[in-house]
């Protein structure tokens, strides 16, 4: 059984997840934490639960999902794993922050540990996450799907009754429609989707009520 802990972090209220199982191994997904109290909360949870982080996963390389990568590297010795087509975007993290928030961000980000592609698997404890390529919000956007536990981490591809924006660098309206309707919508309806912002949802609910998937 997976234990999924959500931390809402940074000014954009991004969802960072720590996902663990009975072995006490865990993965950290989308660490956008940028304040000391956010770092402390995540570290305290991992310590209190006696977890051992195995992977730092990024659904995509926008700054609000990656600002904590350097902290994770310093604290747990992990480097990010992300979609191959988002590698160039990751290198522009500082300019992303300046453009969208108007402040300087000079933290040196760690180089990727692994560039991921559709169909790759991420193993930790007794579980596996399957990588599903879902470009559109960014060129290398990914979802992480655990079939055994009927959960998927969708980043900013899917929100409850909504979808990610496509007007930022590398965004593509046709690509995200394809990702939503030919990847996300093909998952079983009882799969719970943990989104990059906002509350979780289910695939069945989105098929019924999300105007993009209807």
């Amino acid at each position: 059984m997976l234990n999924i802990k959500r931390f809402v972090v940074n000014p954009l209220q991004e969802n960072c997840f720590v996902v663990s199982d009975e072995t006490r191994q865990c993965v950290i997904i989308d660490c956008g934490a940028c304040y000391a109290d956010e770092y402390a909360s995540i570290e305290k949870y991992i310590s209190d639960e006696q977890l051992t982080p195995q992977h730092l996963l990024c659904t995509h390389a926008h700054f609000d999902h990656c600002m904590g990568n350097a902290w994770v590297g310093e604290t747990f010795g992990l480097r990010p794993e992300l979609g191959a087509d988002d590698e160039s975007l990751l290198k522009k993290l500082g300019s992303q922050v300046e453009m969208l928030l108007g402040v300087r961000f000079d933290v040196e980000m760690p180089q990727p540990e692994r560039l991921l592609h559709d169909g790759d698997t991420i193993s930790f404890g007794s579980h596996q996450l399957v990588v599903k390529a879902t470009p559109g919000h960014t060129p290398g956007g990914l979802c992480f799907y655990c079939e055994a536990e009927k959960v998927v981490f969708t980043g900013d591809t899917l929100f409850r009754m909504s979808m990610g924006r496509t007007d930022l660098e590398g965004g593509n309206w046709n690509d995200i429609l394809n990702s939503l309707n030919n990847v996300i919508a093909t998952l079983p309806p009882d799969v719970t989707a943990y989104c990059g912002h906002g509350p979780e949802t289910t695939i069945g609910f989105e098929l019924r009520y999300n105007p993009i998937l209807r």
Side-chain angles (χ1 to χ4, degrees):
M1 178 177 177
L2 290 180
N3 298 306
I4 301 170
K5 176 68 173 177
R6 180 177 68 160
F7 297 87
V8 181
V9 298
N10 75 45
L12 275 65
Q13 299 289 281
E14 182 264 337
N15 292 331
C16 168
F17 298 100
V18 177
V19 184
S20 61
D21 67 12
E22 70 282 353
T23 70
R24 303 289 183 182
Q25 291 189 359
C26 71
V27 297
I28 301 170
I29 300 177
D30 284 355
C31 190
C34 65
Y35 298 123
D37 61 332
E38 295 171 347
Y39 299 150
S41 293
I42 296 170
E43 187 171 13
K44 183 177 187 302
Y45 173 78
I46 289 173
S47 176
D48 288 350
E49 297 297 317
Q50 300 180 336
L51 303 180
T52 303
Q54 301 293 307
H55 300 276
L56 170 59
L57 305 178
C58 305
T59 60
H60 63 290
H62 279 158
F63 74 92
D64 55 319
H65 293 252
C66 296
M67 284 194 291
N69 286 357
W71 172 77
V72 172
E74 293 167 1
T75 307
F76 302 111
L78 301 176
R79 291 187 292 155
E81 301 173 47
L82 72 155
D85 290 336
D86 267 12
E87 184 180 15
S88 60
L89 195 60
L90 186 68
K91 295 176 181 177
K92 301 176 182 178
L93 212 67
S95 61
Q96 290 183 48
V97 175
E98 283 196 48
M99 181 180 69
L100 292 171
L101 296 184
V103 297
R104 292 187 62 83
F105 185 76
D106 294 325
V107 178
E108 185 175 351
M109 289 288 115
Q111 294 299 307
E113 174 71 25
R114 179 184 178 191
L115 296 176
L116 300 170
H117 301 83
D118 188 62
D120 286 347
T121 57
I122 308 293
S123 298
F124 69 101
S126 60
H127 287 82
Q128 277 194 340
L129 300 174
V130 176
V131 175
K132 290 188 172 291
T134 51
H137 181 62
T138 65
L142 305 174
C143 293
F144 301 110
Y145 175 49
C146 182
E147 182 178 9
E149 301 287 351
K150 296 184 177 181
V151 300
V152 62
F153 298 88
T154 63
D156 288 2
T157 298
L158 175 73
F159 301 136
R160 188 179 187 273
M161 297 183 66
S162 187
M163 56 176 270
R165 60 193 290 184
T166 59
D167 60 330
L168 300 173
E169 181 181 354
N172 186 290
W173 173 258
N174 290 326
D175 284 349
I176 202 168
L177 290 182
N178 180 69
S179 294
L180 287 165
N181 288 288
N182 296 316
V183 180
I184 299 294
T186 64
L187 297 175
D190 57 347
V191 167
T192 298
Y194 291 87
C195 311
H197 301 266
E200 64 266 25
T201 185
T202 67
I203 300 302
F205 180 89
E206 297 307 312
L207 287 171
R208 185 171 182 179
Y209 295 110
N210 190 321
I212 304 299
L213 296 179
R214 291 171 66 190

Short mmCIF file of all heavy atoms in Angstrom, two decimals, residues 164-193:
data_model
loop_
_atom_site.label_atom_id
_atom_site.label_comp_id
_atom_site.label_asym_id
_atom_site.label_seq_id
_atom_site.Cartn_x
_atom_site.Cartn_y
_atom_site.Cartn_z
N GLY A 164 -3.57 21.99 -17.65
CA GLY A 164 -2.47 22.94 -17.58
C GLY A 164 -2.49 23.94 -18.72
O GLY A 164 -3.03 23.68 -19.80
N ARG A 165 -1.87 25.08 -18.49
CA ARG A 165 -1.78 26.13 -19.51
C ARG A 165 -0.77 25.75 -20.58
O ARG A 165 0.15 24.96 -20.33
CB ARG A 165 -1.43 27.47 -18.87
CG ARG A 165 -0.11 27.47 -18.13
CD ARG A 165 0.08 28.69 -17.25
NE ARG A 165 0.26 29.92 -18.05
CZ ARG A 165 0.52 31.11 -17.51
NH1 ARG A 165 0.61 31.24 -16.20
NH2 ARG A 165 0.68 32.16 -18.28
N THR A 166 -0.91 26.33 -21.74
CA THR A 166 -0.01 26.02 -22.84
C THR A 166 0.63 27.27 -23.44
O THR A 166 1.23 27.20 -24.52
CB THR A 166 -0.75 25.26 -23.96
OG1 THR A 166 -1.84 26.06 -24.44
CG2 THR A 166 -1.28 23.93 -23.46
N ASP A 167 0.53 28.40 -22.74
CA ASP A 167 1.04 29.65 -23.28
C ASP A 167 2.45 29.98 -22.81
O ASP A 167 2.97 31.05 -23.11
CB ASP A 167 0.10 30.80 -22.95
CG ASP A 167 -0.08 31.00 -21.45
OD1 ASP A 167 0.01 30.01 -20.70
OD2 ASP A 167 -0.33 32.15 -21.02
N LEU A 168 3.08 29.07 -22.06
CA LEU A 168 4.46 29.27 -21.64
C LEU A 168 5.40 28.60 -22.65
O LEU A 168 4.96 27.85 -23.52
CB LEU A 168 4.68 28.71 -20.24
CG LEU A 168 3.82 29.32 -19.14
CD1 LEU A 168 4.01 28.58 -17.84
CD2 LEU A 168 4.14 30.81 -18.97
N GLU A 169 6.69 28.86 -22.51
CA GLU A 169 7.67 28.32 -23.45
C GLU A 169 7.53 26.81 -23.60
O GLU A 169 7.54 26.07 -22.62
CB GLU A 169 9.09 28.66 -22.99
CG GLU A 169 10.16 28.14 -23.93
CD GLU A 169 11.57 28.45 -23.45
OE1 GLU A 169 11.72 29.18 -22.44
OE2 GLU A 169 12.52 27.97 -24.08
N GLY A 170 7.41 26.35 -24.83
CA GLY A 170 7.31 24.92 -25.11
C GLY A 170 5.92 24.35 -25.00
O GLY A 170 5.70 23.18 -25.32
N GLY A 171 4.96 25.15 -24.54
CA GLY A 171 3.60 24.66 -24.43
C GLY A 171 2.96 24.47 -25.80
O GLY A 171 3.27 25.19 -26.75
N ASN A 172 2.06 23.49 -25.90
CA ASN A 172 1.43 23.20 -27.18
C ASN A 172 0.02 22.69 -26.94
O ASN A 172 -0.18 21.64 -26.31
CB ASN A 172 2.26 22.17 -27.95
CG ASN A 172 1.73 21.93 -29.35
OD1 ASN A 172 0.68 21.33 -29.54
ND2 ASN A 172 2.47 22.39 -30.34
N TRP A 173 -0.95 23.43 -27.43
CA TRP A 173 -2.37 23.10 -27.21
C TRP A 173 -2.74 21.74 -27.78
O TRP A 173 -3.38 20.92 -27.11
CB TRP A 173 -3.24 24.19 -27.83
CG TRP A 173 -4.71 23.93 -27.83
CD1 TRP A 173 -5.47 23.50 -28.87
CD2 TRP A 173 -5.61 24.07 -26.72
NE1 TRP A 173 -6.79 23.37 -28.48
CE2 TRP A 173 -6.90 23.72 -27.17
CE3 TRP A 173 -5.43 24.46 -25.39
CZ2 TRP A 173 -8.02 23.74 -26.35
CZ3 TRP A 173 -6.56 24.48 -24.55
CH2 TRP A 173 -7.82 24.12 -25.03
N ASN A 174 -2.33 21.44 -28.99
CA ASN A 174 -2.69 20.16 -29.60
C ASN A 174 -2.05 19.00 -28.85
O ASN A 174 -2.66 17.93 -28.69
CB ASN A 174 -2.28 20.14 -31.08
CG ASN A 174 -3.13 21.05 -31.93
OD1 ASN A 174 -4.33 21.21 -31.67
ND2 ASN A 174 -2.53 21.66 -32.95
N ASP A 175 -0.81 19.20 -28.39
CA ASP A 175 -0.13 18.13 -27.66
C ASP A 175 -0.82 17.82 -26.34
O ASP A 175 -0.97 16.65 -25.98
CB ASP A 175 1.33 18.52 -27.39
CG ASP A 175 2.20 18.40 -28.63
OD1 ASP A 175 1.74 17.83 -29.64
OD2 ASP A 175 3.36 18.89 -28.58
N ILE A 176 -1.25 18.86 -25.61
CA ILE A 176 -1.88 18.57 -24.32
C ILE A 176 -3.26 17.93 -24.52
O ILE A 176 -3.66 17.05 -23.74
CB ILE A 176 -1.96 19.82 -23.42
CG1 ILE A 176 -2.10 19.40 -21.96
CG2 ILE A 176 -3.09 20.75 -23.82
CD1 ILE A 176 -1.91 20.52 -20.95
N LEU A 177 -3.97 18.32 -25.56
CA LEU A 177 -5.24 17.66 -25.86
C LEU A 177 -5.02 16.18 -26.16
O LEU A 177 -5.78 15.31 -25.71
CB LEU A 177 -5.95 18.34 -27.03
CG LEU A 177 -6.52 19.72 -26.79
CD1 LEU A 177 -7.23 20.22 -28.04
CD2 LEU A 177 -7.47 19.73 -25.60
N ASN A 178 -3.97 15.89 -26.92
CA ASN A 178 -3.64 14.50 -27.22
C ASN A 178 -3.27 13.74 -25.95
O ASN A 178 -3.70 12.59 -25.75
CB ASN A 178 -2.49 14.44 -28.22
CG ASN A 178 -2.11 13.02 -28.58
OD1 ASN A 178 -2.86 12.30 -29.24
ND2 ASN A 178 -0.93 12.61 -28.15
N SER A 179 -2.48 14.38 -25.08
CA SER A 179 -2.07 13.72 -23.83
C SER A 179 -3.28 13.43 -22.95
O SER A 179 -3.38 12.35 -22.34
CB SER A 179 -1.07 14.61 -23.08
OG SER A 179 0.14 14.72 -23.79
N LEU A 180 -4.19 14.38 -22.87
CA LEU A 180 -5.37 14.20 -22.02
C LEU A 180 -6.29 13.13 -22.56
O LEU A 180 -6.78 12.26 -21.81
CB LEU A 180 -6.12 15.53 -21.87
CG LEU A 180 -5.44 16.57 -20.99
CD1 LEU A 180 -6.05 17.94 -21.21
CD2 LEU A 180 -5.54 16.18 -19.53
N ASN A 181 -6.55 13.16 -23.85
CA ASN A 181 -7.57 12.28 -24.41
C ASN A 181 -7.05 10.91 -24.84
O ASN A 181 -7.83 9.96 -24.90
CB ASN A 181 -8.25 12.98 -25.59
CG ASN A 181 -9.17 14.10 -25.12
OD1 ASN A 181 -10.22 13.85 -24.56
ND2 ASN A 181 -8.76 15.34 -25.33
N ASN A 182 -5.75 10.81 -25.10
CA ASN A 182 -5.20 9.54 -25.57
C ASN A 182 -4.26 8.87 -24.58
O ASN A 182 -3.80 7.75 -24.83
CB ASN A 182 -4.49 9.74 -26.91
CG ASN A 182 -5.44 10.16 -28.01
OD1 ASN A 182 -6.54 9.60 -28.13
ND2 ASN A 182 -5.06 11.14 -28.81
N VAL A 183 -3.98 9.54 -23.47
CA VAL A 183 -3.17 8.93 -22.40
C VAL A 183 -3.95 8.94 -21.10
O VAL A 183 -4.30 7.87 -20.57
CB VAL A 183 -1.81 9.66 -22.23
CG1 VAL A 183 -1.00 9.01 -21.11
CG2 VAL A 183 -1.02 9.66 -23.53
N ILE A 184 -4.25 10.11 -20.57
CA ILE A 184 -4.95 10.21 -19.29
C ILE A 184 -6.32 9.54 -19.35
O ILE A 184 -6.68 8.75 -18.46
CB ILE A 184 -5.10 11.69 -18.88
CG1 ILE A 184 -3.73 12.36 -18.72
CG2 ILE A 184 -5.92 11.80 -17.59
CD1 ILE A 184 -2.89 11.84 -17.60
N ALA A 185 -7.08 9.82 -20.38
CA ALA A 185 -8.45 9.32 -20.46
C ALA A 185 -8.53 7.81 -20.65
O ALA A 185 -9.60 7.21 -20.48
CB ALA A 185 -9.21 10.03 -21.58
N THR A 186 -7.41 7.17 -21.01
CA THR A 186 -7.42 5.72 -21.21
C THR A 186 -7.16 4.96 -19.92
O THR A 186 -7.25 3.72 -19.91
CB THR A 186 -6.38 5.31 -22.26
OG1 THR A 186 -5.07 5.63 -21.78
CG2 THR A 186 -6.62 6.03 -23.57
N LEU A 187 -6.83 5.67 -18.83
CA LEU A 187 -6.62 5.00 -17.55
C LEU A 187 -7.96 4.56 -16.98
O LEU A 187 -9.01 5.15 -17.30
CB LEU A 187 -5.92 5.93 -16.57
CG LEU A 187 -4.51 6.40 -16.96
CD1 LEU A 187 -3.99 7.42 -15.96
CD2 LEU A 187 -3.56 5.23 -17.10
N PRO A 188 -7.98 3.53 -16.13
CA PRO A 188 -9.25 3.09 -15.54
C PRO A 188 -9.93 4.21 -14.76
O PRO A 188 -9.26 5.06 -14.16
CB PRO A 188 -8.81 1.95 -14.60
CG PRO A 188 -7.54 1.44 -15.19
CD PRO A 188 -6.85 2.66 -15.75
N PRO A 189 -11.26 4.25 -14.77
CA PRO A 189 -11.98 5.35 -14.13
C PRO A 189 -11.79 5.45 -12.63
O PRO A 189 -11.99 6.52 -12.05
CB PRO A 189 -13.45 5.08 -14.49
CG PRO A 189 -13.50 3.64 -14.89
CD PRO A 189 -12.17 3.32 -15.47
N ASP A 190 -11.40 4.35 -11.97
CA ASP A 190 -11.22 4.39 -10.52
C ASP A 190 -9.80 4.78 -10.11
O ASP A 190 -9.46 4.73 -8.93
CB ASP A 190 -11.61 3.06 -9.87
CG ASP A 190 -10.83 1.87 -10.42
OD1 ASP A 190 -10.17 2.00 -11.47
OD2 ASP A 190 -10.90 0.79 -9.81
N VAL A 191 -8.97 5.19 -11.06
CA VAL A 191 -7.63 5.68 -10.74
C VAL A 191 -7.73 7.07 -10.13
O VAL A 191 -8.43 7.94 -10.67
CB VAL A 191 -6.74 5.70 -11.99
CG1 VAL A 191 -5.45 6.50 -11.75
CG2 VAL A 191 -6.40 4.28 -12.44
N THR A 192 -7.04 7.28 -9.01
CA THR A 192 -6.98 8.60 -8.39
C THR A 192 -5.82 9.38 -8.99
O THR A 192 -4.69 8.88 -9.07
CB THR A 192 -6.79 8.49 -6.87
OG1 THR A 192 -7.92 7.80 -6.31
CG2 THR A 192 -6.68 9.87 -6.23
N ALA A 193 -6.10 10.60 -9.41
CA ALA A 193 -5.09 11.47 -10.00
C ALA A 193 -4.67 12.53 -8.98
O ALA A 193 -5.51 13.28 -8.48
CB ALA A 193 -5.62 12.13 -11.26
#
